[in-house]
């Protein structure tokens, strides 16, 4: 089975699937990180669009009127008659976000007549979300629009298009009855966004290109970026990306698809140029597609992108301020760049004392202390993350290696450059020594759970189940509960191993980072080490500065079953909240 389509994901969120199909889809989502990413990305776009666009639009009185019209469970998916016994991380987070989006969506429905609606597709989604006491149906719907200014999910791309940086393309190529059309482009020195569609001979939208762009078996480059002389441009790879994690040459592109059949293809451009002054006046994006779904063909397009106007509107301000924290982390805040679609911060970091892992968070604030944007370590659990106003949905977490450390590139949605802006350091995260040890007697653990604690980090383990029937290859739609590896042809192989459920609470000083893959070591009573371990997190929370979570670990290749499993960790991450450094990055003009 191939990965899920956007229509299937939307139908699931609107609870329009049969019980059987719903169970199959959830089973696929439980074990397919790619489809989890697509679902969460779609929800992220909704959350970002709704929260940012409507945060300051409605009066308190109107807010209350809107909320009073809603039924207790406006989204059907939130009111299941038979709740699942366990809920995976992607499902928990999706439901939480949908609750927030639904209430904001109600406000969006009320004001649709004012012409402020972002997307006709979103209007249809909002109307489908309510089960009772609907908003006045006489409210006129927004006119259909194929304009990237109205349809773009990303706030920065939408603002850039509204400010005149959208370039019409309207080029298409047809083969085997399938038409690929490129409609518009928005680009600046930081990133590029392309509005496209794939349709059949009757003009019906197709999902195949969206599905196949990042297929695990697709190793042929779909996109090539060239300068005006025809030279192929190659990006620098981030230092935190291993070769094993790169599935294909198209991964750096991000895609989203709406229910009208339009594709949004996005990627950052900054990694192509170590200096923004080297961005050429014109780029050429070439499409070369040899297969659409199961249909072989030849779809080629060259899309010219004029960069002159966006380059002229992009301004870089040098900062060059340094600070060494008490933990030995040296930060050099180099520069800030304002582009039509977003803001870039460039920061060099290095260790002055040792080679321990270190990370940091910070805020960009105005002269009244209002947070305009905030960055946090990408390893922080989502509920504990301090990130705000970041550009999410692009492969933008780049950290390029340097002689003495690394250069970090952080991206935020547009910030008004006419105000005063300061950089305010938040927390510093450091790797520290630990002495965590949990000895689990597998014969007794179900009746006698084991709790282990180290420096306030407490984890309780209990038996979950032993899964057999290894090497059974199944179609993804019909597989049973358990752990699976996915094959290139879309089938899944059931894995044999041991499930251990656990609950954890971190100490007050512990950083809210998952310690499992980085620090946990699992051996048996004879010292045999088990490296084939998968970790599943079902719930995360963050209360009073402490992270809590529940989940399970799955140990493969564990036959014969040992008497004991011993989990140890010699390191942990600690958060230092007492740092104090603030420096101006842009003075008011």
């Amino acid at each position: 089975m191939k990965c899920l389509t956007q229509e299937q994901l939307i139908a699931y969120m609107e609870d329009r699937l049969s019980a059987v199909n719903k169970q199959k889809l959830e089973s696929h989502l439980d074990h397919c990180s790619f489809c989890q990413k697509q679902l969460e990305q779609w929800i992220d776009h909704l959350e970002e669009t709704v929260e940012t666009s409507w945060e300051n639009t409605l009066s308190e009185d109107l807010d209350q009127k809107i909320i009073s019209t809603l039924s207790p469970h406006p989204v059907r998916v939130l009111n299941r008659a038979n709740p699942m016994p366990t809920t995976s991380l992607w499902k928990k987070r999706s439901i939480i976000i949908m609750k927030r989006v639904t209430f904001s969506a109600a406000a969006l429905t009320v004001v649709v007549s004012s012409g402020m609606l972002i997307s006709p597709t979103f209007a249809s989604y909002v109307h489908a979300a309510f089960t009772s006491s609907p908003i006045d149906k006489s409210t006129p719907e927004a006119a259909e629009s194929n304009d990237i200014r109205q349809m773009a999910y990303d706030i920065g791309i939408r603002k850039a298009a509204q400010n005149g940086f959208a370039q019409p393309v309207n080029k298409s190529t047809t083969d085997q009855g399938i038409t690929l059309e490129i409609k518009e482009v928005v680009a600046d020195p930081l990133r590029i966004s392309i509005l496209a569609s794939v349709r059949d001979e009757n003009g019906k939208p197709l999902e195949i290109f969206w599905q196949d762009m990042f297929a695990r078996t697709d190793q042929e480059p779909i996109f090539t970026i060239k300068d005006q002389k025809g030279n192929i441009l190659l990006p620098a790879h981030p230092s935190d990306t291993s070769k094993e994690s790169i599935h294909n040459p198209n991964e750096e592109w991000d895609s989203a698809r709406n229910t009208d059949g339009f594709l949004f293809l996005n990627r950052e451009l900054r990694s192509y140029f170590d200096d923004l002054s080297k961005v050429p006046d014109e780029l050429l994006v070439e499409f070369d597609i040899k297969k659409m779904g199961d249909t072989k063909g030849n779809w080629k397009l060259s899309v010219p992108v004029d960069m002159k106007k966006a380059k002229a509107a992009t301004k870089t301000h040098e900062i060059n301020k340094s600070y060494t924290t008490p933990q030995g982390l040296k930060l050099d805040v180099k520069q800030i760049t304002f582009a039509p679609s977003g803001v870039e911060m460039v920061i060099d970091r290095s260790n002055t004392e040792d080679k321990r892992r270190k990370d940091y968070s910070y805020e960009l604030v105005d002269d009244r202390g209002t947070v305009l944007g905030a960055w946090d370590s990408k390893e922080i659990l989502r509920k504990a993350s301090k990130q705000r106003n970041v550009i999410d949905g692009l492969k933008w977490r780049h950290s390029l290696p340097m002689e003495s450390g690394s250069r970090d590139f952080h991206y935020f949605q547009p910030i008004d450059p006419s105000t005063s802006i300061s950089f305010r350091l938040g927390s510093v995260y450091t790797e520290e020594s630990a002495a965590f040890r949990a000895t689990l007697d597998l014969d007794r653990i179900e009746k006698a759970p084991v709790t282990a604690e180290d420096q306030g980090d407490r984890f309780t383990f209990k038996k979950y189940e032993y899964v057999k029937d290894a090497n059974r290859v199944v179609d993804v739609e019909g597989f049973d509960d358990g752990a699976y590896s996915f094959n290139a042809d879309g089938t899944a192989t059931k894995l044999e191993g041991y499930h251990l459920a656990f609950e954890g609470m971190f100490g007050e000083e512990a950083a809210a980072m998952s310690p499992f893959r980085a620090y946990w070591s699992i051996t048996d009573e004879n010292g045999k080490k088990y490296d084939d371990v998968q970790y599943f997190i079902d719930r995360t929370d963050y209360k009073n500065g402490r992270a809590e979570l529940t989940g399970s670990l799955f140990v493969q290749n564990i036959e014969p079953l040992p008497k004991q499993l011993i989990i140890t960790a010699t390191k942990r991450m600690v958060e230092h909240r007492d740092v104090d450094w603030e420096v101006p990055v842009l003075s008011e003009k």
Side-chain angles (χ1 to χ4, degrees):
M1 170 189 171
K2 293 184 177 180
C3 287
L4 302 170
T5 67
Q6 192 81 343
E7 275 72 13
Q8 288 173 313
L9 294 174
I10 294 174
Y12 170 68
M13 293 308 299
E14 295 180 1
D15 202 32
R16 292 188 283 105
L17 298 177
S18 67
V20 173
N21 288 334
K22 184 189 302 178
Q23 185 176 10
K24 290 179 178 180
L25 184 144
E26 289 179 342
S27 295
H28 178 79
L29 280 168
D30 277 333
H31 301 279
C32 181
S33 59
F34 174 78
C35 285
Q36 290 175 24
K37 173 182 177 294
Q38 297 302 318
L39 178 62
E40 291 202 359
Q41 181 186 75
W42 184 72
I43 295 171
D44 279 339
H45 286 313
L46 289 181
E47 182 185 37
E48 179 184 79
T49 298
V50 171
E51 288 191 351
T52 305
S53 299
W54 305 102
E55 186 177 16
N56 299 316
T57 301
L58 303 175
S59 68
E60 182 177 351
D61 179 62
L62 183 55
D63 279 335
Q64 295 302 316
K65 291 179 181 178
I66 291 168
I67 293 175
S68 67
T69 67
L70 296 175
S71 64
H73 302 282
V75 180
R76 291 189 293 273
V77 73
L78 305 181
N79 191 21
R80 298 186 184 279
N82 298 303
M84 300 292 288
T86 58
T87 306
S88 58
L89 174 63
W90 63 264
K91 203 180 304 177
K92 282 282 189 184
R93 179 172 172 263
S94 299
I95 290 174
I96 290 169
I97 293 175
M98 286 302 294
K99 287 180 180 178
R100 299 169 61 189
V101 171
T102 300
F103 284 96
S104 299
L108 189 147
T109 306
V110 169
V111 296
V112 66
S113 59
S114 67
M116 299 170 64
L117 184 63
I118 293 170
S119 167
T121 300
F122 192 62
S124 300
Y125 165 76
V126 170
H127 290 298
F130 297 97
T131 58
S132 64
S133 303
I135 303 301
D136 184 4
K137 293 182 179 179
S138 64
T139 304
E141 294 191 12
E144 180 72 19
S145 173
N146 295 337
D147 195 321
I148 198 170
R149 292 175 298 175
Q150 302 294 325
M151 298 177 63
Y153 291 123
D154 188 280
I155 296 170
I157 295 298
R158 195 165 64 245
K159 286 186 176 180
Q162 291 168 350
N163 290 330
F165 293 95
Q167 303 175 39
V169 178
N170 296 318
K171 283 190 171 186
S172 64
T173 178
T174 302
D175 195 12
Q176 307 300 317
I178 300 174
T179 298
L180 167 67
E181 181 180 13
I182 308 299
K183 298 185 67 64
E184 277 187 292
V185 174
V186 171
D188 60 34
L190 302 184
R191 54 180 176 151
I192 184 170
S193 182
I194 299 175
L195 177 61
S197 68
V198 179
R199 301 180 182 271
D200 65 15
E201 54 193 5
N202 299 316
K204 180 181 177 181
L206 297 175
E207 304 146 357
I208 47 180
F209 178 62
W210 177 81
Q211 282 185 303
D212 296 343
M213 266 185 62
F214 306 109
R216 296 174 176 86
T217 57
D218 190 353
Q219 297 298 322
E220 295 298 322
I222 293 174
F223 314 95
T224 303
I225 299 180
K226 298 181 179 180
D227 62 18
Q228 63 266 50
K229 297 180 180 179
N231 299 314
I232 297 176
L233 302 179
L234 298 175
H237 291 293
S239 60
D240 58 355
T241 299
S242 63
K243 293 182 178 179
E244 291 75 18
S245 67
I246 300 177
H247 298 299
N248 61 63
N250 308 304
E251 262 195 342
E252 295 302 320
W253 285 80
D254 180 78
S255 74
R257 183 179 183 275
N258 69 12
T259 52
D260 294 324
F262 288 97
L263 289 162
F264 298 91
L265 309 174
N266 310 280
R267 79 149 297 156
E268 58 79 32
L269 291 177
R270 184 59 160 91
S271 62
Y272 287 89
F273 311 102
D274 57 358
D275 187 335
L276 292 179
S277 65
K278 297 180 181 179
V279 177
D281 289 340
E282 184 175 303
L283 295 175
L284 196 65
V285 182
E286 293 189 347
F287 291 74
D288 187 0
I289 305 171
K290 298 292 194 296
K291 192 176 181 181
M292 294 272 200
D294 296 326
T295 303
K296 294 182 179 180
N298 190 13
W299 296 269
K300 289 187 176 182
L301 274 179
S302 292
V303 179
V305 182
D306 191 337
M307 300 295 294
K308 292 189 290 294
K309 182 178 179 180
K311 284 175 59 180
T314 300
K315 305 298 181 183
T316 297
H317 302 269
E318 300 296 328
I319 304 169
N320 296 318
K321 300 292 184 180
S322 300
Y323 176 69
T324 300
T325 74
Q327 298 79 28
L329 175 65
K330 182 182 180 182
L331 298 175
D332 293 307
V333 183
K334 303 296 291 184
Q335 63 185 34
I336 186 170
T337 296
F338 296 86
S341 74
V343 173
E344 175 192 72
M345 283 293 298
V346 180
I347 302 172
D348 289 353
R349 61 170 162 169
S350 58
N351 287 345
T352 61
E353 297 178 354
D354 48 52
K355 300 298 182 181
R356 293 180 301 165
R357 285 177 59 206
K358 296 183 179 73
D359 214 332
Y360 60 100
S361 68
Y362 66 88
E363 296 174 335
L364 299 177
V365 298
D366 64 14
D367 52 5
R368 295 175 296 178
T370 303
V371 178
L372 307 174
W375 170 259
D376 206 349
S377 169
K378 65 181 181 180
E379 297 182 31
I380 291 290
L381 298 173
R382 181 175 292 271
K383 282 197 173 184
S385 177
K386 305 177 185 70
Q387 285 190 168
R388 182 172 178 182
N389 200 36
V390 298
I391 298 177
D392 206 1
L394 289 179
K395 312 297 191 302
W396 53 272
R397 294 184 178 96
H398 284 251
S399 183
L400 301 180
M402 298 181 64
E403 184 176 346
S404 58
S406 62
R407 173 161 293 177
D408 297 338
F409 298 84
H410 301 153
Y411 295 91
F412 301 91
Q413 297 290 2
I415 297 173
D416 184 1
S418 65
T419 186
S420 296
I421 302 174
S422 294
F423 172 98
R424 185 164 65 195
L425 188 60
S427 295
V428 173
Y429 308 103
T430 62
E431 187 178 67
E432 307 290 347
S433 298
F436 181 81
R437 181 181 179 90
T439 301
L440 314 179
D441 188 329
L442 300 185
D443 291 332
R444 300 180 61 248
I445 193 171
E446 190 169 17
K447 296 181 180 180
V450 173
T451 297
E453 185 171 354
D454 175 52
Q455 301 179 72
D457 299 339
R458 177 190 296 179
F459 285 85
T460 299
F461 301 86
K462 55 186 178 179
K463 184 177 179 180
Y464 186 61
E465 69 174 331
Y466 182 57
V467 181
K468 288 191 175 182
D469 197 11
N471 300 320
R472 182 165 68 88
V473 177
V474 297
D475 181 84
V476 175
E477 281 194 355
F479 68 82
D480 309 323
D481 290 337
Y484 291 78
S485 65
F486 282 82
N487 308 312
D489 61 359
T491 59
T493 298
K494 190 169 185 177
L495 303 176
E496 180 178 352
Y498 194 86
H499 263 299
L500 277 170
F502 61 82
E503 299 175 351
M505 175 181 286
F506 294 170
E508 292 184 359
E509 67 169 11
M513 299 180 181
S514 298
F516 320 118
R517 292 179 178 85
Y519 297 128
W520 281 13
S521 177
I522 301 178
T523 59
D524 62 18
E525 70 276 10
N526 298 315
K528 179 181 178 181
K529 187 176 181 180
Y530 296 93
D531 294 319
D532 294 334
V533 181
Q534 299 181 44
Y535 296 94
F536 304 97
I537 306 303
D538 299 323
R539 178 190 65 85
T540 61
D541 210 343
Y542 192 69
K543 299 178 180 178
N544 301 319
R546 301 183 68 174
E548 300 177 5
L549 51 85
T550 60
S552 64
L553 59 88
F554 179 76
V555 186
Q556 298 172 231
N557 302 320
I558 198 171
E559 184 68 31
L561 193 65
K563 293 181 179 180
Q564 291 182 336
L565 284 182
I566 303 168
I567 302 175
T568 59
T570 59
K571 295 178 181 179
R572 63 198 288 262
M573 290 297 288
V574 170
E575 179 176 5
H576 305 270
R577 302 180 177 92
D578 57 349
V579 294
D580 183 18
W581 184 56
E582 184 170 333
V583 61
V585 298
L586 185 65
S587 299
E588 187 176 358
K589 297 179 180 179

